[in-house]
Amino acid sequence: VDLRNCPRCGRLFTYISKNLCPVCIEEDEKEFKKVKEYVWAHRGCSAVEVHEATGVSLEKILNYLREGRLEARGLKGPLLFCESCGEPIDQGRFCPKCSDQLVRGLKGEENSKKPSYSTGSGKEKNKMYLADRIIRR
Ligand SMILES: [Zn+2]
Ligand SMILES: [Zn+2]
């Protein structure tokens, strides 16, 4: 008999095919059902929406996709976006760039790094851009 500790709750259980105890498998099935039903009813929604509507963690939703239990077709791709800059990302909440910035505590500089919101220097940038285009032609 293959006895294992459940990675989720720590309970000792007999391993059959899934590395989860029966309690957690049942819990997992319930969560998966919620996610699946939401995706069916809201085709083209994002993984973040599914997470917010069902309360199931994004990591789990992505795992369903990775495991092929959930059809990625039903979800809007890319599945996740960086909460800071909006870049498409594969996992987590931030893109590698932003999480790196967050780790370094440079959050204060965020505003100056958003190009679409720059005001005064915008014209200069446009000029440079035009000049760049002319030179390239
Ligand atoms: Zn468990
Ligand atoms: Zn980012």
Side-chain angles (χ1 to χ4, degrees):
V1 179
D2 190 0
L3 277 178
R4 295 190 187 191
N5 280 312
C6 173
R8 198 184 289 185
C9 69
R11 232 182 244 113
L12 204 64
F13 72 103
T14 310
Y15 179 84
I16 301 163
S17 62
K18 268 190 125 182
N19 194 25
L20 280 176
C21 74
V23 178
C24 288
I25 287 175
E26 202 185 311
E27 195 70 23
D28 190 57
E29 287 298 329
K30 268 191 228 162
E31 287 185 328
F32 175 64
K33 220 181 141 208
K34 261 199 278 183
V35 169
K36 201 176 155 187
E37 277 167 7
Y38 186 86
V39 172
W40 266 103
H42 304 83
R43 291 251 151 198
C45 61
S46 71
V48 176
E49 278 176 64
V50 179
H51 154 65
E52 279 167 1
T54 59
V56 178
S57 76
L58 280 171
E59 193 50 45
K60 276 185 204 163
I61 294 167
L62 288 176
N63 264 329
Y64 297 147
L65 291 168
R66 284 189 206 114
E67 290 166 5
R69 292 167 74 189
L70 194 67
E71 280 182 54
R73 261 192 304 171
L75 291 172
K76 185 168 68 189
L79 295 166
L80 294 171
F81 297 91
C82 171
E83 287 181 15
S84 180
C85 71
E87 279 288 306
I89 50 173
D90 294 328
Q91 57 182 324
R93 293 171 59 196
F94 300 100
C95 68
K97 235 197 275 174
C98 291
S99 51
D100 195 45
Q101 275 180 29
L102 286 173
V103 168
R104 290 190 207 169
L106 295 177
K107 232 191 156 187
E109 286 181 29
E110 228 175 63
N111 287 335
S112 59
K113 283 187 179 171
K114 280 183 184 165
S116 50
Y117 292 110
S118 59
T119 47
S121 58
K123 277 181 186 170
E124 288 302 312
K125 268 183 194 159
N126 270 341
K127 259 188 219 161
M128 280 169 67
Y129 180 60
L130 277 174
D132 190 43
R133 279 174 64 176
I134 289 159
I135 289 162
R136 275 189 201 174
R137 274 181 194 177

